[in-house]
Amino acid sequence: MIYQYPIHLENSMTFTTAPTKPLSFTKSNGYDGNNIRVTNIVGYENGDFLKVCPHCNGILPSESFGLRPTMDRDQSWCMDCR
């Protein structure tokens, strides 16, 4: 997982620890514990938050996107699309 807890999403969800079961919800953005912007989050499964790629519409773990540390945010497109 590329994010640090706590993770605060604009849909009023806050995660201080990893969820104990899979979740899915409407796409949301927010910030992680390092004040990194997180985008396109749609759920949690198998130990990682899930994101939707706006280019291919794939739903993938956050690890498939990476971070843009110089911009203080995550990547929008998945690594395959980039």
Side-chain angles (χ1 to χ4, degrees):
M1 184 172 75
I2 61 175
Y3 306 126
Q4 298 295 317
Y5 293 103
I7 298 168
H8 303 280
L9 299 179
E10 294 168 350
N11 65 2
S12 299
M13 295 180 90
T14 297
F15 300 94
T16 56
T17 60
T20 57
K21 60 182 178 180
L23 298 171
S24 63
F25 44 85
T26 304
K27 182 170 65 173
S28 189
N29 304 314
Y31 289 90
D32 79 352
N34 289 332
N35 208 32
I36 299 292
R37 179 86 168 140
V38 300
T39 58
N40 305 325
I41 305 296
V42 295
Y44 182 88
E45 186 176 283
N46 297 326
D48 201 352
F49 282 90
L50 301 175
K51 290 179 47 121
V52 62
C53 175
H55 188 255
C56 70
N57 291 317
I59 296 175
L60 304 164
S62 68
E63 292 288 334
S64 298
F65 291 83
L67 294 173
R68 297 174 65 185
T70 58
M71 303 284 290
D72 292 331
R73 61 168 289 152
D74 57 5
Q75 292 280 357
S76 293
W77 287 15
C78 67
M79 290 179 191
D80 287 342
C81 289
R82 270 198 326 268

